[in-house]
Amino acid sequence: MSALVSQVTLKLQGSQLPDSSQLAQYSVHCDEEDKFLLIYTLLKLRLVRGKTLLFVGAVERCYRLKLFLEQFSIPACVLNSELPVHSR
């Protein structure tokens, strides 16, 4: 188990939450080998702005995606149900 490098706790008040008009959800279906390339392209070209949540099907895939993005200097964080509540 690795330790967190820097931990941030966010406590959002009702007024700090974005309006539904500021949120967007995208779903793209592609081949397995193209998924990481597509995510990298969308983030690096800034086609997706702001904070982004990426959902994956398995914890192992989440860590693989995190390591992949960090190779290209794209900061990533893993949040999963296996982590203690206070560190999520």
Side-chain angles (χ1 to χ4, degrees):
M1 178 180 272
S2 63
L4 294 173
V5 175
S6 61
Q7 182 177 356
V8 175
T9 302
L10 296 176
K11 294 185 180 184
L12 298 177
Q13 304 298 324
S15 63
Q16 293 176 314
L17 296 174
D19 186 15
S20 61
S21 65
Q22 295 176 300
L23 300 175
Q25 177 179 334
Y26 301 97
S27 176
V28 178
H29 300 280
C30 59
D31 294 335
E32 184 71 25
E33 59 270 3
D34 295 334
K35 288 181 182 181
F36 282 22
L37 178 61
L38 179 62
I39 291 169
Y40 167 76
T41 304
L42 290 172
L43 295 175
K44 206 61 171 179
L45 294 177
R46 299 183 192 268
L47 297 174
V48 177
R49 294 187 206 149
K51 305 224 184 272
T52 305
L53 290 175
L54 301 172
F55 293 91
V56 297
V59 175
E60 181 229 335
R61 163 89 28 136
C62 190
Y63 283 103
R64 284 181 53 208
L65 179 59
K66 178 186 184 320
L67 293 173
F68 174 79
L69 292 174
E70 287 180 345
Q71 287 179 347
F72 298 102
S73 301
I74 299 174
C77 175
V78 173
L79 300 174
N80 70 57
S81 61
E82 295 177 4
L83 291 172
V85 174
H86 69 276
S87 56
R88 283 188 252 162

